Amino acid sequence: MIIRRKVPAGLVKHGTPPFQTPYLPVRDCSFVENPIQVEALQKSYGSLAAVKGIDFDVCAGEVFGLLGPNGAGKTTTVEILEGLRTRSAGRVSVLDCDPEVQTLRLK
């Protein structure tokens, strides 16, 4: 399940109630309309398919969450987005970079 919530552009709320602070400015990513784009992402470990062809994109200023049961591929997906794990198939773009190829540029 994917959860989306629109936050005012360039702002993010920090903390959890009752310790929430007002919206604070974050780094400007407005130069990229969709900072995260995933198309037909697949990851297999031998015959086990951990991620089975998911598609999503995250718009600038959007709060995005991946929800699912244990073993659904949430952690694997995030590790692929971070460049910590290679994908078996599909296309991934983070800030217009391929995290598998341009890992240092993303850091």
Side-chain angles (χ1 to χ4, degrees):
M1 178 185 293
I2 295 175
I3 301 293
R4 294 176 185 263
R5 178 174 171 236
K6 199 69 171 172
V7 173
L11 301 174
V12 67
K13 215 166 202 178
H14 292 278
T16 55
F19 306 107
Q20 233 169 22
T21 59
Y23 285 103
L24 300 172
V26 295
R27 190 175 80 163
D28 180 24
C29 293
S30 59
F31 62 93
V32 180
E33 188 175 321
N34 295 321
I36 300 174
Q37 298 175 329
V38 176
E39 296 175 6
L41 178 63
Q42 297 179 25
K43 176 62 180 179
S44 298
Y45 299 99
S47 62
L48 173 68
V51 179
K52 301 175 185 176
I54 61 173
D55 300 283
F56 66 87
D57 54 298
V58 180
C59 298
E62 185 174 53
V63 176
F64 184 87
L66 292 172
L67 301 176
N70 292 345
K74 302 175 300 291
T75 301
T76 300
T77 299
V78 171
E79 288 174 347
I80 291 170
L81 291 172
E82 295 170 336
L84 300 175
R85 192 169 302 279
T86 60
R87 61 188 177 269
S88 301
R91 190 182 81 74
V92 175
S93 174
V94 177
L95 296 174
D96 285 337
C97 297
D98 182 338
E100 191 173 323
V101 177
Q102 299 167 301
T103 306
L104 292 178
R105 183 171 177 208
L106 285 173
K107 290 182 181 185

